[in-house]
Amino acid sequence: MAYQNTNGCISDSIEVLDPKPLAAVDCGVHPPIVASFNDRIRPLLDCVDKLRHLNIMQEGIQLPTIVVVGDQSSGKSSVLESLAGISLPRGQGICTRVPLVMRLQNDPNITAPNLHLEYNMKSLPVDEVGIADAIILATDEIAGHGKGISNNPLTLVVKKNGVPDLTMVDLPGITRVAVQGQPEDIYEQIYDIIMKYIVPEESIILNVLSATVDFPTCESIRMSQKVDKTGERTLAVVTKADKAPEGLLEKVTADEVNIGLGYVCVRNRIGNESYDEARSDEARLFSTHPLLSKIDKSMVGIPVLAQKLVRIQAGIISKCLPEIVRKINDKLAANLAELNRLPQHLTSVAEALTAFMRILSSSKDSLKKILLSGEFDEYPEEKDMHSAARLVEMLDQYSNELHSKNFENTEEFLMEEIMVLQETKGIGLPNFLPRAVFLNVLQKKVKEITASPEDFVGKLWNYLERVVIKVLMYHCDNYPQLQSSTRRAAQNLIAKKKNESIDWVREIIGMEKLTDYTCNPDYLATYSKFMAQQHTFMEMMNNPVMFINDPGKISMINLEGVGEIYVGHLRKHLDVVQQAFDLKMRMMAYWKIVLMRMVDSMALHIMFSIRNMINKEMENEIVQDLMAPHGGGIERMLDESPLVAEKRNRLNKSVKLLKESKEVVANIMDRISFQSDHEMA
């Protein structure tokens, strides 16, 4: 069958045969509305109906659907009555308060209609006389008594000789103004229900319009145009043609509202007419009426509507079914994979202990890679977890901060040293530099940087706490009952390590204040290089007339390690300036060693502390917290978390549904394949 792809489905399709041509309709002969599907088509519709019954759409898999929409009192129910040959609820206001799924199945072998309703997990047989009342009772059970609406569907199965093989969803009629007993937001509720059904590309919109109104003003047209701007999946049924024949031909041929699948004009059953009488009167109307008879016969009558719907439905199902099969398989595979990723449901202490040790082992391995080896393949896009690089950056920042302290004051060069020398002088040999003087200056400089190392280790361990907890929470993700104990243990351990580092820093600071010592040969080499400038410096102090030819140099000198400085103020202190210069150069040379030592030892301390934390302390801390009275013991792992249990239950239900759906479509695909092979043979 050649059928334009109007629903956005994949181009591959199942080949179907056209329904048999419709017999000519005259006033005296009343054949079935449309010839039934052949053996190839009927199973396709049964397949979709079974999938709909299984509620496969809750898995996000849309089914080909003919959706009946229309403004209130547009004649929707009358159109469906004419197609099904049964009476539906009628009256003022909203007659359809829930989505009504109508499954019409032609069965030439039965003499009496076979009807039943399906809702709320029930299936109730009903007779033709009482069907309208039964639908009202079922609607009341679903949507409540009154005039409210519900999104929960009601299914009516009609097996009858002569009906078209169709499945349609009739939706509540659109009304903008709430009447007594209806919720104030009745329009919004109806709008949401309609949009849910007509938005999917797999839906065909059967828009029921009254001939008595201007089509562009119909709310149902506005809604369908929002989701189907080109009209390629919209078919219009114009009811009450006998009430407003004037201008109807122009309306359906001008197509002001862009109906891509065309129009069908019908006459609704009136009063107590039988369905045979209604069809005869309809055929006579469109054949003899001076205005309506001018409308092309391919656009009038319930039989034409039935045939159009049959053809459209056959085309959309044949095109969408392969895509539905693919989506079911993909969704099933994804859910099975997700189900397998869920943690094992532990049933014994031995299983819980094994899982717990596996978590500890994997956490330690991850932390070793991140913190010690510099690997970050587990967190390639999270730079904060590239911890080796971040630690280097933090150390560099710490080093720069230390070196920025005690920046040499070139404006008051040597004045601090001169003041110390004057305040510590005593009875003794002149020009002798006591060790106490050097220690006094050293202690002052060390005191000025005391806060930096403590601040650094605080920031460092705060960062490490974030990294450690993130890794532990990731590996405990499948066992939320462990997360509180693991987090608490990690926080306690990091707090201990931070305090240990602060104590270590204070010891280092205390040692630097206590004495001046280094075996680093760079100290003497640097000191000697600096002292080589003393002769030039003292000549300037003692004989400024030597620079009389260059007045700019009388009081300015450029010293390595210090830069260009003014020294005119030092001539007032010639008695101690040489000692002050010596003290300054010693301190500059030694201070380089001190800063280098504080940065180097900090780096070693960090790596040593991290290694011990990962290899020795972390596991003990977590075990102790878990086994403590507040930890609940290893048995806590036997209690599956509500979140995981709910997820496992949801996935199991989904897998069961998808497997049943897969079996449904597999059966029909096998049947089609067998028929094709049989025909080729």
Side-chain angles (χ1 to χ4, degrees):
M1 164 179 164
Y3 180 78
Q4 183 181 2
N5 186 359
T6 63
N7 60 340
C9 297
I10 60 175
S11 59
D12 295 337
S13 63
I14 301 169
E15 183 183 356
V16 297
L17 299 180
D18 285 337
K20 296 177 181 178
L22 195 64
V25 179
D26 58 44
C27 299
V29 182
H30 311 298
I33 287 179
V34 68
S36 64
F37 276 148
N38 57 50
D39 289 341
R40 178 174 298 176
I41 304 305
R42 177 70 255 171
L44 290 177
L45 185 55
D46 285 344
C47 173
V48 173
D49 286 340
K50 288 178 182 177
L51 293 177
R52 197 186 314 278
H53 181 72
L54 288 172
N55 200 15
I56 190 66
M57 288 187 289
Q58 73 182 19
E59 298 294 329
I61 299 173
Q62 299 298 329
L63 296 176
T65 305
I66 297 175
V67 183
V68 185
V69 298
D71 292 5
Q72 185 175 307
S73 302
S74 62
K76 287 191 303 92
S77 297
S78 297
V79 171
L80 297 177
E81 282 183 343
S82 298
L83 290 170
I86 59 172
S87 297
L88 297 175
R90 290 193 185 188
Q92 297 297 319
I94 299 176
C95 301
T96 306
R97 298 196 292 125
V98 299
L100 176 62
V101 181
M102 290 190 64
R103 294 171 55 193
L104 309 182
Q105 300 176 359
N106 179 63
D107 190 344
N109 299 319
I110 61 176
T111 56
N114 183 352
L115 313 175
H116 62 274
L117 289 173
E118 298 174 354
Y119 63 98
N120 292 348
M121 307 298 291
K122 296 184 293 185
S123 181
L124 303 177
V126 292
D127 57 39
E128 193 169 6
V129 176
I131 184 61
D133 292 336
I135 290 176
I136 292 173
L137 291 175
T139 300
D140 288 342
E141 183 174 333
I142 296 172
H145 297 277
K147 298 182 180 180
I149 65 173
S150 172
N151 196 22
N152 295 324
L154 166 66
T155 299
L156 170 61
V157 181
V158 179
K159 294 182 179 180
K160 191 175 181 182
N161 184 15
V163 298
D165 287 291
L166 287 171
T167 297
M168 299 170 290
V169 181
D170 182 27
L171 300 180
I174 304 166
T175 180
R176 278 198 167 274
V177 180
V179 299
Q180 186 176 4
Q182 290 179 342
E184 291 297 323
D185 63 342
I186 185 67
Y187 172 78
E188 288 75 14
Q189 291 187 31
I190 294 174
Y191 177 89
D192 291 341
I193 292 176
I194 291 176
M195 283 297 165
K196 175 186 174 183
Y197 279 89
I198 68 175
V199 164
E201 291 291 323
E202 295 83 359
S203 295
I204 294 296
I205 305 169
L206 182 60
N207 210 321
V208 181
L209 310 170
S210 172
T212 61
V213 301
D214 291 332
F215 296 165
T217 65
C218 294
E219 191 66 27
S220 62
I221 286 292
R222 295 175 183 173
M223 287 187 183
S224 63
Q225 286 179 336
K226 284 184 179 180
V227 299
D228 183 27
K229 298 185 185 302
T230 63
E232 63 183 1
R233 54 188 182 90
T234 301
L235 171 67
V237 181
V238 183
T239 64
K240 305 178 184 179
D242 52 327
K243 300 295 180 64
E246 294 80 7
L248 183 56
L249 174 62
E250 289 74 15
K251 281 185 178 181
V252 297
T253 54
D255 189 20
E256 294 181 6
V257 291
N258 202 19
I259 303 296
L261 296 179
Y263 293 81
V264 178
C265 302
V266 300
R267 173 193 176 275
N268 295 336
R269 186 168 66 97
I270 300 174
N272 294 322
E273 283 181 338
S274 69
Y275 291 102
D276 286 342
E277 291 172 345
R279 286 180 56 203
S280 296
D281 289 345
E282 179 185 60
R284 185 180 302 107
L285 174 70
F286 287 110
S287 297
T288 63
H289 191 281
L291 296 177
L292 298 180
S293 62
K294 296 179 181 180
I295 302 176
D296 191 280
K297 295 302 179 284
S298 65
M299 299 173 62
V300 297
I302 289 294
V304 170
L305 174 62
Q307 186 180 45
K308 276 182 174 284
L309 291 175
V310 164
R311 290 180 178 275
I312 290 171
Q313 181 177 248
I316 192 175
I317 292 177
S318 66
K319 289 180 179 296
C320 284
L321 195 55
E323 180 72 0
I324 292 172
V325 173
R326 184 190 65 78
K327 289 180 178 179
I328 290 174
N329 289 334
D330 291 349
K331 184 74 173 179
L332 179 58
N335 284 0
L336 286 172
E338 189 174 0
L339 192 59
N340 290 332
R341 284 194 297 269
L342 288 180
Q344 175 190 359
H345 184 43
L346 306 176
T347 57
S348 67
V349 174
E351 288 181 351
L353 184 59
T354 300
F356 177 66
M357 297 307 296
R358 189 184 308 116
I359 291 171
L360 287 181
S361 177
S362 57
S363 299
K364 287 171 63 175
D365 289 343
S366 293
L367 288 172
K368 286 178 183 178
K369 290 170 65 177
I370 295 170
L371 295 174
L372 299 179
S373 302
E375 302 174 36
F376 50 83
D377 55 286
E378 295 180 12
Y379 302 91
E381 303 301 325
E382 299 182 51
K383 289 190 175 182
D384 199 48
M385 297 298 288
H386 303 175
S387 297
R390 302 292 82 79
L391 291 177
V392 171
E393 289 175 356
M394 296 174 74
L395 274 170
D396 288 343
Q397 185 178 0
Y398 167 64
S399 176
N400 293 335
E401 184 179 347
L402 286 181
H403 283 83
S404 68
K405 303 283 186 181
N406 306 118
F407 191 79
E408 298 299 339
N409 186 358
T410 57
E411 294 181 0
E412 297 291 331
F413 183 63
L414 293 187
M415 290 307 299
E416 182 180 358
E417 287 76 12
I418 289 172
M419 184 187 69
V420 172
L421 286 169
Q422 289 176 340
E423 294 301 316
T424 57
K425 63 185 177 181
I427 300 173
L429 293 174
N431 200 29
F432 182 79
L433 184 61
R435 184 164 177 265
V437 174
F438 185 85
L439 286 176
N440 186 284
V441 176
L442 175 63
Q443 290 168 359
K444 183 178 179 182
K445 291 176 75 66
V446 171
K447 184 177 180 180
E448 290 177 354
I449 66 166
T450 298
S452 293
E454 289 194 23
D455 291 344
F456 172 73
V457 296
K459 293 177 182 177
L460 173 80
W461 284 108
N462 288 341
Y463 166 73
L464 291 174
E465 180 177 352
R466 295 196 302 271
V467 172
V468 170
I469 289 179
K470 186 180 182 80
V471 171
L472 289 173
M473 292 303 99
Y474 171 77
H475 288 286
C476 290
D477 186 55
N478 287 332
Y479 299 96
Q481 60 270 45
L482 281 182
Q483 290 185 342
S484 59
S485 290
T486 305
R487 182 187 295 273
R488 184 169 52 247
Q491 291 171 336
N492 292 339
L493 177 58
I494 296 295
K496 291 178 184 177
K497 300 300 292 183
K498 184 190 294 187
N499 290 332
E500 288 176 4
S501 292
I502 291 174
D503 291 341
W504 174 83
V505 164
R506 290 173 180 171
E507 286 184 357
I508 293 295
I509 295 296
M511 288 187 286
E512 294 294 350
K513 287 181 178 179
L514 179 64
T515 188
D516 50 339
Y517 175 78
T518 181
C519 63
N520 191 329
D522 285 349
Y523 166 69
L524 288 177
T526 305
Y527 170 68
S528 299
K529 182 171 62 174
F530 287 163
M531 286 301 292
Q533 306 173 95
Q534 188 180 44
H535 178 71
T536 303
F537 175 77
M538 291 309 299
E539 280 189 341
M540 177 174 284
M541 291 294 98
N542 295 321
N543 302 301
V545 294
M546 293 177 60
F547 302 92
I548 195 66
N549 294 326
D550 191 353
K553 293 185 177 180
I554 292 178
S555 298
M556 298 296 295
I557 188 172
N558 196 319
L559 296 176
E560 184 179 351
V562 180
E564 191 172 50
I565 56 172
Y566 175 76
V567 295
H569 62 286
L570 298 177
R571 293 192 178 96
K572 300 177 183 179
H573 308 283
L574 291 176
D575 56 328
V576 293
V577 71
Q578 186 170 357
Q579 280 185 300
F581 187 88
D582 187 0
L583 175 59
K584 184 73 171 180
M585 297 304 109
R586 288 178 186 272
M587 183 55 65
M588 286 173 56
Y590 184 65
W591 191 242
K592 284 188 175 184
I593 302 299
V594 171
L595 295 182
M596 185 185 301
R597 192 158 54 204
M598 294 193 71
V599 175
D600 291 349
S601 59
M602 180 67 78
L604 296 176
H605 168 76
I606 291 170
M607 298 308 294
F608 183 74
S609 298
I610 292 174
R611 191 196 66 177
N612 283 345
M613 176 188 70
I614 296 173
N615 290 339
K616 299 178 182 179
E617 299 163 332
M618 185 179 71
E619 184 175 320
N620 292 337
E621 192 73 30
I622 294 175
V623 170
Q624 289 176 10
D625 192 278
L626 184 64
M627 297 305 176
H630 61 262
I634 200 71
E635 292 82 2
R636 286 190 62 187
M637 295 184 66
L638 299 178
D639 300 327
E640 190 169 47
S641 74
L643 184 64
V644 174
E646 190 278 332
K647 187 175 183 180
R648 191 189 305 277
N649 183 54
R650 175 178 58 81
L651 286 172
N652 280 326
K653 287 182 178 179
S654 176
V655 167
K656 180 176 181 293
L657 169 61
L658 290 166
K659 284 183 176 179
E660 291 176 354
S661 302
K662 183 177 180 179
E663 184 176 353
V664 168
V665 295
N667 288 338
I668 183 61
M669 299 301 281
D670 289 344
R671 182 171 174 179
I672 292 171
S673 176
F674 173 78
Q675 288 179 343
S676 298
D677 293 343
H678 182 71
E679 289 175 2
M680 291 177 64

